């Protein structure tokens, strides 16, 4: 059915496909929410500091 080189190519394709799938799952469930959450926390800190600076200047 398959020659040995075709079999190796098919295995390489499946392994790359599987690695890509799990990488996307990892990125979508951990990395991107962590990145967005950190950005929101930093933005809220900046907003609080701006409000505090306005109150002290007034």
């Amino acid at each position: 059915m398959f020659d040995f080189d075709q079999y190796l190519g098919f295995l390489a394709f499946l392994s790359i496909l599987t690695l890509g799938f799990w990488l996307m799952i990892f990125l979508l469930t951990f990395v991107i929410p962590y990145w967005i959450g950190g950005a929101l926390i930093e933005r809220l800190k900046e907003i609080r500091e701006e409000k505090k600076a306005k109150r002290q200047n007034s």
Side-chain angles (χ1 to χ4, degrees), residues 15-28:
S15 61
I16 291 169
L17 183 75
T18 305
L19 286 170
F21 171 75
W22 287 113
L23 178 65
M24 286 298 288
I25 295 296
F26 173 72
L27 288 174
L28 290 174

Side-chain angles (χ1 to χ4, degrees), residues 6-57:
Q6 287 178 325
Y7 179 69
L8 286 179
F10 181 67
L11 285 180
F13 170 74
L14 282 182
S15 61
I16 291 169
L17 183 75
T18 305
L19 286 170
F21 171 75
W22 287 113
L23 178 65
M24 286 298 288
I25 295 296
F26 173 72
L27 288 174
L28 290 174
T29 57
F30 295 108
V31 175
I32 293 176
Y34 180 77
W35 179 41
I36 292 173
L40 287 174
I41 290 171
E42 289 297 319
R43 183 65 183 134
L44 290 174
K45 285 181 184 177
E46 290 175 6
I47 290 171
R48 284 190 203 127
E49 288 174 3
E50 288 174 4
K51 286 181 182 178
K52 192 180 288 184
K54 281 183 183 178
R55 270 189 260 135
Q56 289 176 353
N57 289 338

